[in-house]
Amino acid sequence: MPFLTLDRLDKSFGTNPVLRNLSLEIEKGEVLALLGPSGSGKTTALRLIAGFESPDRGHILVDGEDVTALPPSKRRFGMVFQHYALFPHLTVGENVAFGLTGKDGMDRRVSEALAQVDLPGFEARRVGEISGGQQQRVALARALAPEPRVLLLDEPLSNLDPTLRERTRRELRRAIRKVGITTVLVTHEQEEAFHLGDRVAVLHAGILQQVGSPEELYERPATRFVAGFVGRASAFPGKYEGDGKVRLPSGLIWSGVPAVELGPGDAVELVVRPETLAFAPGGLSGRVAERRYAGPVSYFLVSLEGGLEVEVMAPAGAASEGDAVSVGLGTSGPQPRIFGVGA
Amino acid sequence: MKRLPVAGLLLALLLAWLVGYPLLMTLVEALRGPEGWTTAHLREFASRPDEWLALWRSLWISLTSVVLAAGIGVPLAFLFERTDFPGRRFLAAVVALPVALPPLVGVIAFLFLYGESGFASRAVQSLLGLESPPWRLVGPGAILLVHAYSMYVYFYLFTRAGLARLDAALLEAAASLGAGRARTLFRVTLPLLRPALAGAALLTFMTSLASFSAPYLFGGSFRVMTTQIVASKLNGETALSQVETVMLAGLALLGLVGMRWIDRSGLASIAGVGVRGVAPARRRLESTWARITAGTLGWLLAAFLLLPHAVLLLVSFVPPFTWTAEALPPVLALGNWAGLAQAEKLRPVVNSLWMAAVSTIAAVALGLAAARMAVSRPVDGGEPRRPWLASALEWLVAVPWAVPGTVFAIALATTFGVNQPWLGRFVLIGTPVILPLAYLVRSLPLTGRGSIAGLRGLDPALEEAAASLGAGRWRRLSRVVLPLLRPAIAAGAGLAFITALGDFVVSIVLYTFDTRPISIEILSSLRLQDLGMAAVYGVLLMTASAAAFLVWGQGETR
């Protein structure tokens, strides 16, 4: 039985629907990342779980208990806010103690919570005096100290500068795993979602697109949106021939895996990862417009005849800018996915 | 699911009863005679040239005050914000001092200083060996002198704040594009300061339109609208005073609309001029000569500004009737101060203190409640605030700011002079309730707008964080919201308290003998030629105001 259940949640602001029929099930101790561009409804989903907004329809259950009508102060959920929301008039210790009840062992529990995030002895510091990364950890310690049932993280790393982000992400991951708490985190960064989440739920325009492991999302995207949003991909328009075959305008027939039910003659798009494409004779001809060096491999932006631009991953020396090349399907990399166009 | 915001509606109703209803009642009474609706009072007003004259005088005195205050305040702001010279920091604080002086106290200080038998007049008289005092402190000149002295501070403070917020990069950009100093000033700096200047102009205009103490004591036969209203009221011409009140309120409204029209970019940006960047560095006066000149002028200015305060203190030590023809008082003693030990002389002090305290506490509570309901977002997924209710609350809290004190005094006298409980009218005139109530209404903009601004500046995530940590409504208020709003609340409360403590304009219409406040006692001491006692009360008010001003200053600088 799932520990946290979102059951057909709807939410509109005025006449503007921001979440439609969102259902999710999260196991105890699981970390779920809500991934989506801005305006996708992911933050609203988190605020519904926290109780800062109430859904127009649907239910939220924790451990079998319906908490939909419960105010946030009664839910026993911990939350780390995007800008941390540390109380500026309180010390680090007082911030961490804010959610603790009962006088017994207050000091000990605060120092334990701070030790857990590697900030032992920070009790008397003022929150304005510590660095951004430390503030983030204080916010985490404050959220975890009352031993909440669920931990909610709203873009927990977006406020840090890039050099600090990766290290903090590893620390955050370690801390969450150590506690083993059921966690929902919201992010617009795929890397963050893939690193922190056991599973990732992709939202777009208020609609849940796909839930799955990072591998599933990358290799077997369920919707055209996921295919384009998660990882890099090139799209080739064509006509479906049946049996996983797509006829490109040039007459070539490439094959892939249909992501949806398709019939022969349907207009489709074949979506291909850069590592699945290769420079090979007998493919689509074009010219290298740009090369982006990335260490062991390079990414080549190729302008195909007919105007299409596609991205090919190949060894750094495979081609230079301006070279005439031929692009075909390689033998490695995820299988191309076929999506219907329109209707 | 939609439920009515009961608490918000009740609060709006209470505020409407306190703020809007008296004004409405005054309008109604001005249009009513013994036999129902009539324009008789209006026609009488229109047919009297002295009424039109008073209206015109109010207008031109206010406009001239704006020009004078700008002429003094703006250059001073540039001097203190843009250059550095010995003693700048101390002098910069002194220059803001006149704003902390209650209007009546400023007026009597001027009287003791520049009045017919004031220090300055006597000094000049004995210096030149004149038969009579060299000038008389009466008429429009005297009123404008007091206005310029006390109101340039608005321009000074607003312009300094505006200059401090200017982005130095903008001036550097102008310079890099080949603009000289004058061109940069007129094409970049002043346009960017426009919201600050417009804000100061509006504040000065409204303050001098509402000004009562100076016209009352120095005007003589030169009546402006505020003194005209009080004169009509004291003459028993109630209906006429109500029409006059409506006219003055109309003029204030016109001023407000006019200023908004002149500066359509909005008063909302008074505080935030330009992009937040690094303020331009102060230019250090390098040449010794310039430093000495600036320093000397600065200290002379400080002496001039502090003189009224010093004179007030000095006069408070002059025993009654001991100082007649001498240039300086021959005897100084503590007798006046000892007089405070008498119950009757201490009474006004006690009255003012308790009335100011009660009204301030109530104004803080009401202002905070209104701000909470107008600004704060519910954290528990409850109904969002109704926009119309939020703007109604904000508007009700802000209205008394634009309405001259005299108008409110007459409006309250009109509304609470009759007993019609079913219409929400009770006889409060002559009871100890009316003055604190009047002070409360006048304080609402100070406390309410402070709370609103404070709450707007508060990150809503802080309250959400508290809620997610298990804090209920009251714990969130007491542990998170109130501590963070403390500077804003302290600032509003401090200003509200000194305004109520030194109030003269409302008190003179509504006081009773038993609840007479300090200002009324100052007036009667003056009438009895007991200048020393008047000065003692003046010093008390001055000290209390300076203390509250310090609290305010700390709240402002955070």
Side-chain angles (χ1 to χ4, degrees):
Chain A
M1 184 178 135
F3 185 70
L4 175 65
T5 306
L6 312 186
D7 181 23
R8 286 166 292 168
L9 294 178
D10 275 349
K11 180 69 185 175
S12 307
F13 290 121
T15 55
N16 177 30
V18 285
L19 268 189
R20 278 179 275 185
N21 206 26
L22 175 68
S23 292
L24 276 170
E25 295 189 332
I26 301 146
E27 299 300 321
K28 197 171 172 79
E30 187 185 22
V31 179
L32 181 87
L34 287 175
L35 175 66
S38 57
S40 60
K42 57 188 190 305
T43 299
T44 302
L46 195 76
R47 293 175 60 80
L48 286 176
I49 303 174
F52 301 139
E53 311 281 354
S54 38
D56 301 333
R57 204 172 62 91
H59 296 275
I60 298 165
L61 294 106
V62 183
D63 208 3
E65 176 200 358
D66 188 337
V67 298
T68 319
L70 224 51
S73 52
K74 299 261 158 56
R75 292 197 181 186
R76 296 207 291 117
F77 289 5
M79 176 138 171
V80 175
F81 291 80
Q82 184 170 13
H83 302 282
Y84 316 138
L86 295 178
F87 305 125
H89 58 299
L90 303 181
T91 62
V92 166
E94 287 165 339
N95 263 282
V96 175
F98 194 95
L100 298 176
T101 47
K103 290 268 177 279
D104 286 355
M106 182 79 93
D107 291 348
R108 182 184 48 78
R109 286 157 73 195
V110 169
S111 61
E112 276 173 11
L114 282 173
Q116 204 169 32
V117 294
D118 287 328
L119 291 174
F122 269 59
E123 282 90 339
R125 301 280 195 99
R126 301 216 68 95
V127 293
E129 290 169 354
I130 59 178
S131 74
Q134 290 169 336
Q135 289 181 6
Q136 202 260 2
R137 276 138 73 192
V138 173
L140 182 65
R142 181 179 73 175
L144 289 176
E147 297 176 5
R149 300 189 281 186
V150 175
L151 179 65
L152 306 173
L153 306 168
D154 184 9
E155 303 268 6
L157 302 166
S158 66
N159 223 7
L160 299 170
D161 60 85
T163 50
L164 205 62
R165 209 173 288 171
E166 194 166 321
R167 207 188 77 204
T168 313
R169 194 168 72 205
R170 277 198 304 276
E171 290 167 353
L172 182 63
R173 185 173 197 274
R174 214 169 295 143
I176 297 172
R177 307 277 149 168
K178 195 159 71 184
V179 180
I181 185 169
T182 313
T183 301
V184 179
L185 99 114
V186 153
T187 176
H188 64 274
E189 297 224 356
Q190 178 212 319
E191 213 180 320
E192 212 169 288
F194 279 17
H195 188 191
L196 294 174
D198 297 315
R199 281 192 307 152
V200 178
V202 181
L203 278 169
H204 174 54
I207 296 170
L208 180 65
Q209 306 281 315
Q210 188 175 4
V211 195
S213 67
E215 289 84 350
E216 279 175 294
L217 293 183
Y218 187 80
E219 291 171 11
R220 294 185 295 282
T223 68
R224 176 69 185 83
F225 175 80
V226 176
F229 185 70
V230 175
R232 314 175 72 87
S234 306
F236 299 83
K239 275 233 169 344
Y240 192 60
E241 300 266 283
D243 202 19
K245 302 249 182 300
V246 175
R247 180 180 291 275
L248 304 184
S250 65
L252 284 178
I253 293 189
W254 283 6
S255 57
V257 180
V260 287
E261 198 91 352
L262 291 168
D266 286 355
V268 294
E269 272 185 328
L270 189 78
V271 179
V272 192
R273 299 287 177 206
E275 61 269 32
T276 309
L277 290 175
F279 293 130
L284 301 164
S285 37
R287 202 167 280 280
V288 175
E290 243 178 71
R291 189 188 73 142
R292 185 164 59 83
Y293 178 77
V297 295
S298 288
Y299 290 87
F300 298 86
L301 191 66
V302 179
S303 293
L304 296 178
E305 281 168 13
L308 208 59
E309 288 208 321
V310 299
E311 198 175 36
V312 180
M313 189 184 96
S320 319
E321 273 179 32
D323 286 357
V325 291
S326 163
V327 174
L329 288 182
T331 47
S332 59
Q335 293 229 345
R337 302 281 285 179
I338 307 171
F339 297 95
V341 176
Chain B
M1 196 66 189
K2 294 235 173 204
R3 63 205 148 97
L4 231 55
V6 179
L9 281 177
L10 283 178
L11 186 67
L13 219 60
L14 175 66
L15 289 176
W17 176 69
L18 279 174
V19 174
Y21 190 58
L23 296 174
L24 184 70
M25 276 298 116
T26 311
L27 183 63
V28 168
E29 297 284 340
L31 295 173
R32 261 218 322 230
E35 279 107 44
W37 299 100
T38 174
T39 54
H41 311 311
L42 268 180
R43 275 184 278 121
E44 173 163 11
F45 176 90
S47 69
R48 285 166 67 158
D50 60 325
E51 300 289 347
W52 290 105
L53 197 58
L55 210 54
W56 163 242
R57 281 168 173 167
S58 274
L59 188 63
W60 80 255
I61 286 278
S62 301
L63 291 174
T64 313
S65 299
V66 171
V67 173
L68 289 177
I72 303 171
V74 175
L76 275 180
F78 270 86
L79 181 70
F80 280 97
E81 199 56 40
R82 281 300 181 72
T83 60
D84 204 2
F85 50 85
R88 188 189 64 83
R89 289 170 70 89
F90 172 76
L91 288 173
V94 169
V95 169
L97 215 56
V99 83
L101 213 55
L104 180 67
V105 181
V107 168
I108 61 166
F110 266 69
L111 195 65
F112 295 155
L113 191 55
Y114 304 115
E116 265 172 83
S117 51
F119 282 87
S121 328
R122 286 181 197 220
V124 173
Q125 191 180 352
S126 66
L127 216 67
L128 302 178
L130 298 174
E131 284 290 307
S132 55
W135 60 72
R136 288 165 43 106
L137 196 63
V138 288
I143 297 173
L144 286 172
L145 181 71
V146 176
H147 282 189
Y149 171 81
S150 54
M151 294 176 201
Y152 79 83
V153 182
Y154 299 139
F155 275 96
Y156 169 74
L157 290 177
F158 278 51
T159 309
R160 275 199 69 182
L163 282 173
R165 284 188 161 92
L166 268 189
D167 189 347
L170 293 173
L171 306 184
E172 289 162 3
S176 77
L177 293 166
R181 203 183 273 180
R183 195 173 147 80
T184 306
L185 176 68
F186 285 105
R187 293 294 304 279
V188 181
T189 310
L190 286 180
L192 284 171
L193 285 177
R194 212 180 63 164
L197 295 177
L202 180 58
L203 194 54
T204 308
F205 181 83
M206 296 306 241
T207 311
S208 57
L209 196 62
S211 167
F212 176 76
S213 303
Y216 185 73
L217 286 170
F218 293 150
S221 59
F222 183 90
R223 290 250 182 90
V224 295
M225 217 54 216
T226 50
T227 45
Q228 183 84 348
I229 290 172
V230 172
S232 299
K233 169 87 177 151
L234 294 181
N235 286 340
E237 296 176 283
T238 311
L240 188 63
S241 76
Q242 284 157 351
V243 175
E244 288 162 352
T245 301
V246 170
M247 290 295 162
L248 180 59
L251 197 57
L253 199 67
L254 224 60
L256 198 66
V257 173
M259 284 291 176
R260 293 227 172 201
W261 184 76
I262 290 171
D263 190 73
R264 262 164 290 184
S265 59
L267 294 166
S269 52
I270 287 173
V273 180
V275 191
R276 200 103 171 88
V278 181
R282 291 202 175 82
R283 206 154 49 81
R284 244 181 103 72
L285 295 179
E286 289 299 346
S287 96
T288 322
W289 197 83
R291 286 165 66 83
I292 291 175
T293 312
T296 315
L297 285 177
W299 287 103
L300 279 176
L301 175 72
F304 171 74
L305 292 173
L306 284 172
L307 217 48
H309 303 251
V311 162
L312 206 58
L313 191 63
L314 185 66
V315 173
S316 76
F317 293 110
V318 176
F321 311 112
T322 58
W323 184 26
T324 46
E326 300 84 351
L328 282 172
V331 195
L332 294 179
L334 286 169
N336 297 322
W337 287 92
L340 281 179
Q342 299 164 35
E344 271 315 295
K345 292 203 163 159
L346 191 62
R347 181 84 172 259
V349 178
V350 175
N351 281 341
S352 275
L353 280 175
W354 81 255
M355 292 192 295
V358 167
S359 66
T360 300
I361 291 169
V364 165
L366 276 179
L368 187 66
R372 267 305 257 182
M373 298 205 187
V375 178
S376 291
R377 203 168 65 187
V379 298
D380 54 0
E383 285 289 308
R385 304 293 176 211
R386 313 286 166 100
W388 57 266
L389 183 59
S391 38
L393 286 170
E394 250 190 89
W395 193 79
L396 282 170
V397 158
V399 163
W401 179 80
V403 178
T406 313
V407 169
F408 254 111
I410 297 293
L412 291 172
T414 303
T415 309
F416 299 114
V418 291
N419 195 31
Q420 295 175 324
W422 59 92
L423 283 177
R425 297 172 74 172
F426 311 93
V427 177
L428 300 178
I429 298 295
T431 73
V433 178
I434 191 71
L435 270 185
L437 193 73
Y439 296 163
L440 157 67
V441 172
R442 302 247 297 143
S443 298
L444 270 178
L446 300 172
T447 58
R449 284 163 61 128
S451 296
I452 287 173
L455 276 178
R456 286 242 161 84
L458 211 62
D459 182 1
L462 290 172
E463 247 198 287
E464 291 173 356
S468 78
L469 291 166
R473 174 197 296 245
W474 294 110
R475 184 142 186 268
R476 293 200 295 271
L477 188 67
S478 65
R479 287 288 310 273
V480 177
V481 177
L482 284 182
L484 289 171
L485 279 192
R486 208 176 52 192
I489 293 175
L495 282 178
F497 186 77
I498 57 172
T499 310
L501 197 69
D503 176 84
F504 178 50
V505 46
V506 173
S507 307
I508 194 169
V509 177
L510 298 174
Y511 82 97
T512 61
F513 182 73
D514 286 334
T515 61
R516 66 191 187 281
I518 296 177
S519 58
I520 299 299
E521 193 67 14
I522 289 181
L523 193 67
S524 49
S525 301
L526 283 181
R527 290 236 168 89
L528 296 172
Q529 290 297 314
D530 192 352
L531 303 189
M533 207 56 220
V536 165
Y537 290 123
V539 170
L540 282 180
L541 280 181
M542 185 171 84
T543 316
S545 302
F549 188 61
L550 277 179
V551 172
W552 178 71
Q554 276 175 356
E556 283 292 286
T557 53
R558 277 179 296 276

